Amino acid sequence: MKTVGGNGSVSDLPHVVIIGAGFAGLAAAQELGNTAVRVTVIDRNNYHLFVPLLYQVATAALSPADVAEPIRHVLGRYPNIGVVLGEVSSVDTQAREVSLASGETLHYDRLVVATGSTSSYFGHDEWRSVAPACKSIEEARLIRSRILSAFEEAERDGASDREALMTFVIVGGGPTGVEMAGSVAELARHALTADFRHIRPETARIILVEGGPRLLTAFPDSLADYAAKALERLGVQIMTNAPVERITEDGLTAGGRFIPARTVLWGAGVAPTGAAKLLGVPPGPGGRVAVCADLSVEGLDHVYAMGDVAACLGEDGRPLPGLAQVAQQQGRFLGKGLRRAIIKGEPLSAFHFYNRGNAAIIGRHHAIFDFGRYRMKGYPAWMLWAIVHVVLLVNTAQRVRVSLQWLWRYLTYRRGARIITTPVPPRGR
Amino acid sequence: MKTVGGNGSVSDLPHVVIIGAGFAGLAAAQELGNTAVRVTVIDRNNYHLFVPLLYQVATAALSPADVAEPIRHVLGRYPNIGVVLGEVSSVDTQAREVSLASGETLHYDRLVVATGSTSSYFGHDEWRSVAPACKSIEEARLIRSRILSAFEEAERDGASDREALMTFVIVGGGPTGVEMAGSVAELARHALTADFRHIRPETARIILVEGGPRLLTAFPDSLADYAAKALERLGVQIMTNAPVERITEDGLTAGGRFIPARTVLWGAGVAPTGAAKLLGVPPGPGGRVAVCADLSVEGLDHVYAMGDVAACLGEDGRPLPGLAQVAQQQGRFLGKGLRRAIIKGEPLSAFHFYNRGNAAIIGRHHAIFDFGRYRMKGYPAWMLWAIVHVVLLVNTAQRVRVSLQWLWRYLTYRRGARIITTPVPPRGR
């Protein structure tokens, strides 16, 4: 309907279809904005989710809208980009067609798959309902409701199960588990202290369970040690060498020990979404889609994969980690590359990841940053973490909102979003 | 556990139980804070809801946490007040006991019922699922998802039903319906304009349907006329003398006319919650609980009712309207009265309502205010409306958040919370 330039309809231009509006997909689309290329971005949600801050929604510090930005709003300024809200049901790489669950079919000239990752329970899908992960807004809201409801139940006169209600177990010693444990600890130790009469939230047990010998294996020893000490100072109990054997509504068994706990949160594993199957290619390392150095999918023409779903080998010959910065750099690289390839006929070059530093935040004044050569911890790392995350948010309004809420929380120790709005399913009693 | 003063345990003090933490219940509890009275506030939600701004959550302008404040946070500073999250299942006014659905029983010395109102479909409960009302956070979120999803569906290539998808009918010409219609119109005409490629959201039809001969019957003619003109300038079509006959997934029949519409919103009626039945008294005017001038329930000892659930007669001999300001004034009055009654043995006086002005907002620069003797409309009324509503929010953080979001929206016409997070049930096609 709307035209670019005025010389022809957008629908005559070469068509790039991008599946997924995460960090990778959105960056690629933006690079293709206002060019002589027609772009369609497909996502099952109408928003781009800033996953690195989602744990703050789960722990009542931020609201969903603070970390979710409507895709149409981000891309609305580019008349050559359309957005489709829908679920991809199949891809025909011969006919170059993407079919949606709603029945629509889109023809593409180039297809970019950036469908990300999902939480993985290592074959124990029965744990999913008792130990929710934090990968979507709905899950974050559910976790928030579960944590707050546990305190409410414990507050009841004559609550029989007070110890288990006031025990919070977080599974997984990676950045996700560490950040979640720190944030739950701060919620209990600071934000809720004045709220109850029969319980003292600051006495809640927060336990971080890790199957391997230490936390944060992606970080150097010195930083991981620092993080562990900072967590312990916050009152988080750390159990290493404790692989999870069983999770029920009554608690968790790990390393042969049963911990009575009514709230178990999962931060242990992620798996790529099923894009290899969708594309009809054999799964690559870790189930991800194997891609060449230029991010084209091995064995397919004009199909590309990037972000968490793609196994792109780094300089050390191992697949790059599933990080926002990897996805964003790949998106920019591929967006620029496709622009040149389609408009000027230039071949794609090889992607090189530039490590901007790997970070984890433990809590107030405590974070770690690993830049490879340099390392940073404590207050400066915490400041840098906050600045980087605010800058990375999609728009100015979110930056202002999140900064203000952080400032307010920093000054008062309070959390504004302590509302229970997702009904917590009865836990069998 | 915690004691007041140190001379005795809180549990030895006279016990006031307040059911409902709306404007009335919260105000009463605050007046009883830090006194030699034990107070328990029961609510089914863990938050106090600022209902007058809920329509802004439904139209993507604010987030739920901006209009919901944890009750424990508001009352946490008063060691003599406890909060119970629960649903009251029965009241025994002889034994002076309140029973909760969870099985707990609370003994009271004085009982205050402030359970508010709920949406009423005038005997057509089958309309509830097709035409949601906006009385809770869950409903507001559902309405937000429905409105945004309708535009998404209309945007689909070859959407067959585009006209019905882009028609939004609001039922009820009172303040609720007027505010909702104005806000939906502004969302379509301004906030969404750049977002779509196949549809033009500014061409959406927004229809306000009223059964009676004119809008805003609680306001003088001149103000109601002004509001109708302002709505029409925003592109809202007003249908008066059009009682609703039927609502289905395909549209609405009102005044003998069928309007194809996939989104119908209900702002037509409220009914008191079933407190009369709970207390075992005959329902008073409009199904509300009949109260004496001092807000005590007719025929019961030491039981009081206030807010939307109570039929308290005004100076004109008619029940006071279900407004936040009535509820809040009654709460303060009864809180103070009970404090004096319990501690000093003074009898309760008679409640007098002081009209602080009845307002409705139509949209940017347009609102009406009726102070009885004075009237105000247009820009000054709009400014006053905004100031009053910000001041009435429970805490400073909310005031700052809401003010900033309004300012930002005012300057940019954008709305930050345009996220679809409640799955919209399939509408039978």
Side-chain angles (χ1 to χ4, degrees), chain A residues 33-348:
Chain A
N34 291 332
T35 64
V37 176
R38 180 180 161 220
V39 179
T40 302
V41 175
I42 307 171
D43 200 287
R44 75 172 89 180
N45 291 317
N46 80 325
Y47 50 83
H48 163 76
L49 188 59
F50 195 81
V51 181
L53 288 183
L54 196 55
Y55 78 97
Q56 299 210 355
V57 175
T59 51
L62 293 175
S63 276
D66 299 333
V67 299
E69 178 63 13
I71 300 164
R72 293 191 187 283
H73 182 217
V74 184
L75 301 177
R77 76 191 77 165
Y78 308 114
N80 65 318
I81 304 183
V83 177
V84 172
L85 178 65
E87 187 102 26
V88 172
S89 56
S90 67
V91 174
D92 183 336
T93 53
Q94 294 299 313
R96 294 197 184 161
E97 278 179 352
V98 172
S99 298
L100 300 180
S102 61
E104 278 167 275
T105 295
L106 287 90
H107 185 272
Y108 66 80
D109 296 296
R110 314 260 180 162
L111 176 66
V112 179
V113 180
T115 46
S117 57
T118 178
S119 50
S120 162
Y121 287 77
F122 308 129
H124 286 280
D125 272 345
E126 74 276 13
W127 295 347
R128 198 174 284 272
S129 62
V130 274
C134 188
K135 288 282 282 181
S136 70
I137 285 195
E138 288 76 11
E139 285 174 326
R141 215 186 260 143
L142 173 69
I143 290 174
R144 182 177 73 187
S145 290
R146 287 222 182 167
I147 295 172
L148 297 174
S149 299
F151 284 110
E152 290 291 341
E153 270 195 67
E155 168 79 352
R156 277 183 201 291
D157 247 338
S160 57
D161 217 10
R162 213 164 260 170
E163 213 186 297
L165 283 165
M166 300 227 347
T167 302
F168 300 85
V169 178
I170 294 98
V171 181
T176 308
V178 165
E179 290 176 349
M180 184 68 89
S183 197
V184 172
E186 288 198 326
L187 177 71
R189 308 270 183 266
H190 299 301
L192 297 179
T193 44
D195 279 9
F196 296 89
R197 299 288 168 260
H198 301 299
I199 56 167
R200 301 206 310 135
E202 58 271 36
T203 64
R205 283 177 80 195
I206 293 112
I207 305 172
L208 181 61
V209 169
E210 161 62 35
R214 76 163 173 91
L215 301 184
L216 297 167
T217 45
F219 288 82
D221 280 344
S222 63
L223 292 182
D225 285 352
Y226 170 82
K229 287 207 186 76
L231 277 177
E232 280 169 347
R233 260 198 306 273
L234 263 176
V236 175
Q237 205 178 318
I238 299 170
M239 279 173 64
T240 46
N241 294 310
V244 174
E245 287 139 29
R246 196 156 176 261
I247 311 177
T248 68
E249 281 156 2
D250 296 313
L252 163 140
T253 308
R257 228 179 98 193
F258 175 70
I259 305 164
R262 293 284 286 275
T263 310
V264 180
L265 308 175
W266 188 259
V270 293
T273 49
K277 202 177 158 195
L278 199 67
L279 295 174
V281 294
R288 296 159 101 180
V289 175
V291 294
C292 309
D294 64 357
L295 302 183
S296 63
V297 175
E298 284 181 15
L300 294 179
D301 276 341
H302 299 302
V303 180
Y304 308 84
M306 55 184 191
D308 286 11
V309 83
C312 173
L313 303 185
E315 274 157 25
D316 58 358
R318 291 164 55 196
L320 292 170
L323 293 174
Q325 56 173 327
V326 174
Q328 208 164 36
Q329 288 180 36
Q330 290 180 334
R332 286 204 196 112
F333 163 84
L334 192 61
K336 281 182 197 154
L338 288 178
R339 193 170 66 197
R340 281 194 298 260
I342 294 169
I343 297 169
K344 300 188 190 164
E346 292 175 13
L348 290 170

Side-chain angles (χ1 to χ4, degrees), chain A residues 46 63 65 72-73 76 78 81 85 104 138 141 152 156 196-198 397 404 408 414 418 420-421, chain B residues 46 63 65 72-73 76 78 81 85 104 138 141 152 156 196-197 397 404 408 414 418 420-421:
Chain A
N46 80 325
S63 276
R72 293 191 187 283
H73 182 217
Y78 308 114
I81 304 183
L85 178 65
E104 278 167 275
E138 288 76 11
R141 215 186 260 143
E152 290 291 341
R156 277 183 201 291
F196 296 89
R197 299 288 168 260
H198 301 299
L404 277 171
W408 179 73
R414 284 183 192 151
R418 299 204 310 275
I420 303 176
T421 60
Chain B
N46 81 323
S63 277
R72 294 193 185 282
H73 182 216
Y78 309 114
I81 304 183
L85 177 67
E104 279 167 273
E138 288 76 11
R141 217 186 259 143
E152 291 291 341
R156 278 184 200 290
F196 295 90
R197 300 287 169 261
L404 277 172
W408 179 74
R414 286 183 190 151
R418 300 204 309 275
I420 304 176
T421 60

Side-chain angles (χ1 to χ4, degrees), chain B residues 93-163:
Chain B
T93 53
Q94 294 302 310
R96 293 197 184 159
E97 279 178 353
V98 173
S99 297
L100 300 179
S102 61
E104 279 167 273
T105 295
L106 286 91
H107 185 271
Y108 66 80
D109 296 296
R110 313 261 181 160
L111 176 66
V112 178
V113 180
T115 47
S117 57
T118 179
S119 50
S120 162
Y121 286 78
F122 307 130
H124 287 279
D125 273 344
E126 73 276 15
W127 296 346
R128 196 174 285 272
S129 61
V130 274
C134 188
K135 288 282 282 180
S136 69
I137 284 194
E138 288 76 11
E139 285 173 326
R141 217 186 259 143
L142 174 69
I143 291 173
R144 182 177 74 187
S145 289
R146 288 221 182 170
I147 295 172
L148 297 174
S149 298
F151 285 110
E152 291 291 341
E153 270 196 67
E155 168 79 353
R156 278 184 200 290
D157 246 340
S160 58
D161 218 9
R162 213 164 258 169
E163 212 186 297

Side-chain angles (χ1 to χ4, degrees), chain B residues 53-369:
Chain B
L53 289 184
L54 196 54
Y55 79 97
Q56 299 210 355
V57 174
T59 52
L62 293 175
S63 277
D66 299 334
V67 299
E69 177 64 12
I71 300 163
R72 294 193 185 282
H73 182 216
V74 185
L75 301 177
R77 76 191 76 167
Y78 309 114
N80 64 318
I81 304 183
V83 177
V84 173
L85 177 67
E87 187 102 26
V88 172
S89 55
S90 68
V91 174
D92 183 337
T93 53
Q94 294 302 310
R96 293 197 184 159
E97 279 178 353
V98 173
S99 297
L100 300 179
S102 61
E104 279 167 273
T105 295
L106 286 91
H107 185 271
Y108 66 80
D109 296 296
R110 313 261 181 160
L111 176 66
V112 178
V113 180
T115 47
S117 57
T118 179
S119 50
S120 162
Y121 286 78
F122 307 130
H124 287 279
D125 273 344
E126 73 276 15
W127 296 346
R128 196 174 285 272
S129 61
V130 274
C134 188
K135 288 282 282 180
S136 69
I137 284 194
E138 288 76 11
E139 285 173 326
R141 217 186 259 143
L142 174 69
I143 291 173
R144 182 177 74 187
S145 289
R146 288 221 182 170
I147 295 172
L148 297 174
S149 298
F151 285 110
E152 291 291 341
E153 270 196 67
E155 168 79 353
R156 278 184 200 290
D157 246 340
S160 58
D161 218 9
R162 213 164 258 169
E163 212 186 297
L165 283 165
M166 303 236 331
T167 302
F168 300 84
V169 178
I170 293 99
V171 181
T176 309
V178 165
E179 291 176 347
M180 184 69 89
S183 197
V184 172
E186 289 198 326
L187 176 71
R189 308 272 182 264
H190 299 300
L192 298 181
T193 43
D195 279 8
F196 295 90
R197 300 287 169 261
H198 302 296
I199 56 168
R200 302 205 310 135
E202 58 271 37
T203 64
R205 284 177 80 196
I206 293 112
I207 304 172
L208 181 61
V209 169
E210 162 62 35
R214 77 161 171 93
L215 302 184
L216 298 167
T217 46
F219 288 82
D221 281 344
S222 63
L223 292 183
D225 286 351
Y226 170 83
K229 288 208 184 74
L231 276 177
E232 280 168 347
R233 259 199 307 272
L234 263 176
V236 175
Q237 205 178 316
I238 298 169
M239 280 174 62
T240 47
N241 293 313
V244 174
E245 287 139 29
R246 198 158 175 260
I247 311 177
T248 67
E249 281 156 2
D250 296 312
L252 164 139
T253 308
R257 227 181 99 194
F258 174 70
I259 305 164
R262 293 282 287 274
T263 311
V264 180
L265 307 176
W266 187 260
V270 292
T273 48
K277 201 177 158 196
L278 198 67
L279 295 173
V281 295
R288 296 160 100 181
V289 176
V291 294
C292 310
D294 63 357
L295 303 184
S296 63
V297 175
E298 284 181 14
L300 294 179
D301 276 340
H302 299 303
V303 181
Y304 309 83
M306 55 184 192
D308 286 11
V309 82
C312 174
L313 302 184
E315 273 157 25
D316 58 359
R318 291 165 55 197
L320 292 170
L323 293 174
Q325 57 173 327
V326 174
Q328 208 164 38
Q329 288 180 36
Q330 289 181 333
R332 286 204 195 112
F333 163 84
L334 191 61
K336 282 182 196 154
L338 288 179
R339 193 170 68 197
R340 281 194 296 261
I342 295 169
I343 296 168
K344 301 189 187 162
E346 292 175 13
L348 289 171
S349 57
F351 173 73
H352 289 289
F353 172 57
Y354 173 70
N355 181 10
R356 291 182 192 281
N358 200 2
I361 182 168
I362 299 102
R364 182 181 284 248
H365 300 179
H366 295 291
I368 54 176
F369 247 105

Side-chain angles (χ1 to χ4, degrees), chain B residues 410-426:
Chain B
Y410 181 74
L411 297 174
T412 65
Y413 282 94
R414 286 183 190 151
R415 300 198 179 189
R418 300 204 309 275
I419 55 175
I420 304 176
T421 60
T422 301
V424 174

